[in-house]
Amino acid sequence: MNAVAIFAIAVVLLACGYVFYGRWLAQQWGVDPSRTTPANELKDGLDYYPAKAPVLMGHHFSSIAGAGPINGPIQAAVFGWVPVLLWVIIGGIFFGGVHDFGALFASIRHKGQSLGEVVADTMGGGAKKLFLVFAYLTLLLVVAAFASIVASTFMATFTPDGAVDVAASSANASTAMISLLFIVLAILFGFFVYRRNAPLGVSTVIGIIGIVIIMFIGLNWHPLYLSNTTWMIILGCYILVASVTPVWILLQPRDYLSSFLLYFLMIVAAVGIIGAGLMGKANLDIPAFTGFKDTLFADNGFKEGTSLGYMFPALFVTIACGAISGFHSLVASGTTSKQISSEKDARPIAYGSMLIECCLAVISLCAVGYIWQSYKTGQTIVPTAVFATGISKMCATLPFLKGSESVIYAMLILAVSVFCLTSLDTATRLARYMFQEFFLEPGQVWQQTTGWKKIVTNPVVATVITVVIGIGFGMTGYAKIWPLFGAANQLLAALGLLTVATWLGKIGKNNKMFLFPMAFMLVVTLSSLCLTLKGKIAELAVVADGWAVALTVLDALLIILAVVLAISGIRTLFAQSKEKKENTAA
């Protein structure tokens, strides 16, 4: 298959989905630009702070993107390009876009509070507590997974005698230095825009120039060569501070600026794909379909490759952020809903960002397809490296970019690392919200509590607890966290769909577009979690260390919580349907 054809088909279908289906959703739900949003009504300068649409788009897009739309499609490519492309397009338009848009809209109508409050509104306080526990546990896995990914892109490689292998570590050291300088740049941007009222347009131009400057510095001066463990500790300290500071200091400006890196990444990728097509070198070696069971690496002599198992449920759990992701609903109802200035911005920010992420997933599919021979034999298997290698090689087919492959590769790796760091920061802040909300009464703030509740709901204490547990899980390694994270994340998406469906049903709005996606994701994710639990119990018979036991218990707990919440939600939907029929008959 030709990469240009795949990319063009995807862009056209996703654009049509945004224009027609997204507009229909807004009409069905009653999106009203004249209503006052929580950001304006409850502005406190810490969490509630109205942001201009481009700035908030940058925050939301950067927060939800992370490494998901890159890792998932590349890993799932073992089933062939057709299943991946179909799930990304269908999932993005009819599953993920509906989920993200609905979660943001529901939160806006609940004073910017989390989906936990929406659950309380429709299913009661007990269900809310269960949802908050489930969401918090899932966010711990997000923190663990993304901290592990970021640390792996920063860490140094050491020789057998303990010395730093400078040659092998140079690219990671550059990424680390640029990422640190990027944080400083974001703080300066936020200070001048929000405290000195500098024009956004001028500040953006200066900020982009600043990104170029810090990239030049980082590529040529990168003295930090630290181990994975050291970087995990540093990241823990960073997210502890970043997630308790006012959003205007770091979160809004950093996410806004980092979005330009993501736009740059996608532009470069598009240039590479189209350019390779013009040069007659855009044909992909990847098969259309490889089979219902993943045996790719074993069949090609790469004994260390881990099989994903059967396409159902693996495909729909492995590709999360590129089709539907529960984490998105927490971002939408956690930070985005507290900053949105007008309801009219909800569709482009939530539904639009999801579909742009689908485009990134398709680009990732093209990247792995371009270096398929290297991928299937295990020569290049780490998803970020696969993505950067595939796109940089495509770009190098253009005469004016010949010889720039290594520079483009480094810049793409940097962009992915920045997105992961953004998601890590946001996930920690969201987890803090969930932790605090569990102990607080509706409408209550932590300063109004007494005794031990005042201690544990203190933002710093709540964040410390989250960081210690999340980083601890992350220390076990990315490979052990990701399968459980993927299933839990998708199950959270199913619960998010269920939550918004029950709320829309309560207020008399059309919720039918949620019912099939909700049912499908419940079946998929519960199946996957049960299979993961079976595997972890088998692992315990071999290695029963503390973190392995904790992950097994966490898996079982997630299944129980999800089943209880699903039963409660489905009962609510049936009760609403029965009441509607009785009212119609009367």
Side-chain angles (χ1 to χ4, degrees), residues 378-534:
Q379 297 175 48
T380 307
I381 193 172
V382 177
T384 50
V386 171
F387 179 82
T389 301
I391 298 302
S392 60
K393 284 184 177 296
M394 285 186 182
C395 290
T397 62
L398 290 167
F400 62 90
L401 290 177
K402 189 175 182 180
S404 63
E405 186 175 331
S406 60
V407 175
I408 294 175
Y409 178 93
M411 294 176 73
L412 293 175
I413 290 290
L414 166 67
V416 175
S417 176
V418 168
F419 308 145
C420 289
L421 193 59
T422 298
S423 298
L424 177 61
D425 179 356
T426 302
T428 308
R429 185 180 289 264
L430 294 173
R432 189 250 294 176
Y433 292 160
M434 298 292 173
F435 189 90
Q436 291 175 298
E437 194 172 333
F438 181 83
F439 296 102
L440 298 174
E441 299 299 324
Q444 186 182 38
V445 294
W446 73 272
Q447 293 93 334
Q448 297 172 334
T449 59
T450 58
W452 63 270
K453 283 190 176 182
K454 190 165 187 176
I455 296 174
V456 297
T457 57
N458 180 287
V460 176
V461 175
T463 306
V464 167
I465 294 171
T466 300
V467 170
V468 170
I469 299 175
I471 294 296
F473 277 141
M475 291 283 195
T476 65
Y478 162 80
K480 292 182 179 179
I481 294 293
W482 192 259
L484 181 55
F485 157 70
N489 180 51
Q490 296 300 72
L491 189 48
L492 180 60
L495 296 177
L497 289 165
L498 176 61
T499 300
V500 181
T502 57
W503 171 67
L504 287 172
K506 178 182 177 180
I507 64 175
K509 297 293 184 180
N510 185 1
N511 65 356
K512 290 182 175 60
M513 68 287 292
F514 286 89
L515 301 183
F516 178 76
M518 173 202 72
F520 182 80
M521 295 309 297
L522 278 174
V523 172
V524 164
T525 51
L526 286 173
S527 300
S528 181
L529 274 175
C530 288
L531 290 172
T532 303
L533 179 61
K534 179 182 177 182

Side-chain angles (χ1 to χ4, degrees), residues 256-267:
Y256 175 64
L257 289 176
S258 67
S259 68
F260 286 96
L261 278 175
L262 187 51
Y263 303 145
F264 164 79
L265 177 153
M266 296 187 70
I267 290 172

Side-chain angles (χ1 to χ4, degrees), residues 175-369:
T175 301
M177 177 55 63
I178 296 170
S179 296
L180 294 176
L181 292 174
F182 191 86
I183 293 170
V184 176
L185 176 65
I187 293 173
L188 292 173
F189 182 90
F191 173 78
F192 283 106
V193 171
Y194 292 108
R195 285 297 176 266
R196 290 293 179 265
N197 296 315
L200 180 61
V202 175
S203 300
T204 299
V205 173
I206 296 174
I208 293 174
I209 294 172
I211 292 174
V212 175
I213 292 173
I214 64 174
M215 291 182 70
F216 177 80
I217 294 172
L219 289 171
N220 292 278
W221 182 67
H222 37 263
L224 299 177
Y225 293 87
L226 306 174
S227 67
N228 183 79
T229 301
T230 302
W231 276 118
M232 287 291 286
I233 295 172
I234 292 173
L235 287 172
C237 295
Y238 164 72
I239 59 178
L240 171 60
V241 174
S243 58
V244 296
T245 55
V247 293
W248 65 266
I249 293 178
L250 181 59
L251 185 136
Q252 282 187 2
R254 187 211 53 216
D255 293 359
Y256 175 64
L257 289 176
S258 67
S259 68
F260 286 96
L261 278 175
L262 187 51
Y263 303 145
F264 164 79
L265 177 153
M266 296 187 70
I267 290 172
V268 168
V271 168
I273 292 171
I274 296 171
L278 294 174
M279 295 295 107
K281 299 178 180 180
N283 289 326
L284 307 179
D285 292 330
I286 182 173
F289 180 61
T290 61
F292 289 101
K293 185 177 182 181
D294 168 24
T295 59
L296 180 75
F297 294 122
D299 291 346
N300 286 278
F302 181 47
K303 303 303 181 184
E304 297 179 10
T306 302
S307 173
L308 293 180
Y310 289 95
M311 189 169 70
F312 183 93
L315 174 71
F316 309 100
V317 171
T318 304
I319 302 177
C321 293
I324 180 172
S325 167
F327 177 59
H328 293 191
S329 68
L330 300 185
V331 175
S333 65
T335 54
T336 305
S337 63
K338 294 177 176 64
Q339 302 173 67
I340 195 165
S341 296
S342 172
E343 284 192 3
K344 69 179 175 60
D345 297 332
R347 179 163 69 111
I349 288 174
Y351 197 81
S353 289
M354 179 67 246
L355 298 189
I356 294 174
E357 198 171 21
C358 292
C359 289
L360 182 55
V362 173
I363 289 170
S364 300
L365 175 62
C366 293
V368 67

